Amino acid sequence: MFKGILINKDDNGYRAELASLDESRLPDGDVTVRVAYSTLNYKDGLAITGKGPIVRAFPMVPGIDLAGTVEQSSNPEFKPGDAVLLNGWGVGEGHWGGLAQMARLEGKWLIPLPEAFTAAQSMAIGTAGYTAMLAIMALEKNDVTPDKGEILVTGANGGVGSFAIALLSRLGYRVVASTGRADQSDYLKQLGAAQIIDRATLSEPGRPLVKERWAGAIDSVGSHTLANVCASMRYRGTVAACGLAQGMDFPASVAPFILRGVTLAGIDSVTRPRQDRLDAWARLGRDLDLSVLPLISQEIGLSEVVQTAQQLMQGQARGRVVVDVQR
């Protein structure tokens, strides 16, 4: 038996609770992992609270991230005792995920835990930090270098935003952070933000083109915010879009793309090819200052997940929530 967060939807309604589960209930897969740490992401919050159509099959164990140790494997890439890491692949949505003490997975979804990190550190980074690095790599691919100008990070208090600021700042970029929480300005400046702007300046309907400002941007908000970011990009700037906190719509004009040569780069972290994952995590090992992890992350036990998910969806959580599933 092992403990996990189980989501059910039946005649009694939609509910998530801490449950004792038998290993025989684990789904199919060629690698069984004893999970050490997982995380609580925005997507997990949607799944646990039922506020979004995330879960595709019931019952479901949520958790899009996990780090742990291989217990059994019929996959030649992994053997018992290997430390492994998983981000995405629909885990926690259509396949039981990381918010449990055991997981059975497809080996092709796993990568070795990078030597630069402990299991806990890798989950403090998690999908958020990994996505932020993918976004930075997209900016670099399009020649957005520190000398080109300011980089805007929207949704700055979230996990992706927090890591984007810390990484960009360390790489020499001047970072401007957009947030709706003015009380978090000191936190954002500690991460490396040179300036803080109110998200209200970007979140309302705007014009197709406005004065050029940003050489690059990392946006986790979408909707009008993304449209306004695109409208204010410098010539040949790049926007890396990786989230939809404001909405899935994109009420924009083609003007920035055909008049200023702006690139809108979509960042998919869920089904990213294995080599991209290895490259991104290798970069995190080189470029991330681990001293920021305690600032960005907090740790909870498995028994606190359901309540914390409610707080997350109410905008009361900052940065990353790491879950020690063994307590």
Side-chain angles (χ1 to χ4, degrees), residues 106-126:
E106 296 295 331
K108 63 185 179 182
W109 299 340
L110 300 168
I111 64 170
L113 178 70
E115 292 184 1
F117 309 116
T118 65
Q121 288 171 334
S122 76
M123 289 294 95
I125 299 165

Side-chain angles (χ1 to χ4, degrees), residues 15-310:
R15 64 196 183 279
E17 59 191 353
L18 181 62
S20 292
L21 304 168
D22 191 279
E23 192 170 335
S24 64
R25 297 186 66 182
L26 287 171
D28 292 339
D30 55 9
V31 180
T32 301
V33 176
R34 180 166 294 279
V35 182
Y37 291 89
S38 185
T39 63
L40 187 60
N41 292 278
Y42 183 74
K43 187 180 284 187
D44 301 317
L46 289 172
I48 291 167
T49 61
K51 293 184 181 297
I54 298 298
V55 179
R56 302 196 298 269
F58 296 91
M60 177 59 58
V61 172
I64 67 173
D65 291 326
L66 66 85
T69 304
V70 174
E71 287 229 329
Q72 299 176 17
S73 174
S74 59
N75 185 305
E77 292 286 328
F78 299 100
K79 65 182 185 302
D82 286 349
V84 292
L85 171 67
L86 180 142
N87 307 113
W89 289 114
V91 167
E93 302 172 63
H95 188 101
W96 282 21
L99 285 168
Q101 295 171 335
M102 298 289 291
R104 185 167 293 134
L105 308 152
E106 296 295 331
K108 63 185 179 182
W109 299 340
L110 300 168
I111 64 170
L113 178 70
E115 292 184 1
F117 309 116
T118 65
Q121 288 171 334
S122 76
M123 289 294 95
I125 299 165
T127 286
Y130 154 64
T131 301
M133 180 52 78
L134 290 173
I136 290 169
M137 291 166 67
L139 298 185
E140 293 173 339
K141 183 179 179 180
N142 286 322
D143 199 32
V144 179
T145 50
D147 60 297
K148 296 294 176 62
E150 295 178 311
I151 308 297
L152 175 67
V153 175
T154 68
N157 279 300
V160 173
S162 294
F163 277 104
I165 293 167
L167 287 161
L168 287 164
S169 174
R170 196 172 193 218
L171 289 167
Y173 293 87
R174 187 178 193 276
V175 185
V176 177
S178 167
T179 181
R181 298 168 64 183
D183 61 318
Q184 297 295 317
S185 293
D186 288 345
Y187 163 71
L188 297 173
K189 288 178 180 177
Q190 282 181 276
L191 291 177
Q195 183 181 350
I196 316 297
I197 62 173
D198 192 323
R199 71 182 180 196
T201 63
L202 296 167
S203 60
E204 299 298 323
R207 291 182 292 166
L209 281 176
V210 296
K211 184 178 178 180
E212 296 181 41
R213 179 168 182 183
W214 318 113
I218 295 177
D219 176 68
S220 59
V221 179
S223 192
H224 290 291
T225 296
L226 177 56
N228 287 322
V229 170
C230 290
S232 53
M233 295 300 295
R234 289 188 176 188
Y235 180 69
R236 298 198 73 180
T238 295
V239 183
C242 58
L244 42 76
Q246 186 179 2
M248 291 183 66
D249 58 325
F250 183 42
S253 161
V254 297
F257 309 110
I258 61 176
L259 298 179
R260 292 183 182 167
V262 169
T263 296
L264 179 57
I267 306 301
D268 161 51
S269 63
V270 177
T271 57
R272 201 79 177 199
R274 179 183 175 86
Q275 190 58 53
D276 287 1
R277 294 168 182 269
L278 294 171
D279 291 346
W281 277 98
R283 283 288 304 274
L284 285 162
R286 294 196 300 271
D287 297 335
L288 180 64
D289 179 359
L290 294 181
S291 69
V292 305
L293 292 183
L295 185 64
I296 293 176
S297 63
Q298 59 173 302
E299 186 176 303
I300 64 172
L302 198 57
S303 62
E304 302 168 82
V305 164
V306 174
Q307 179 182 354
T308 307
Q310 299 284 352

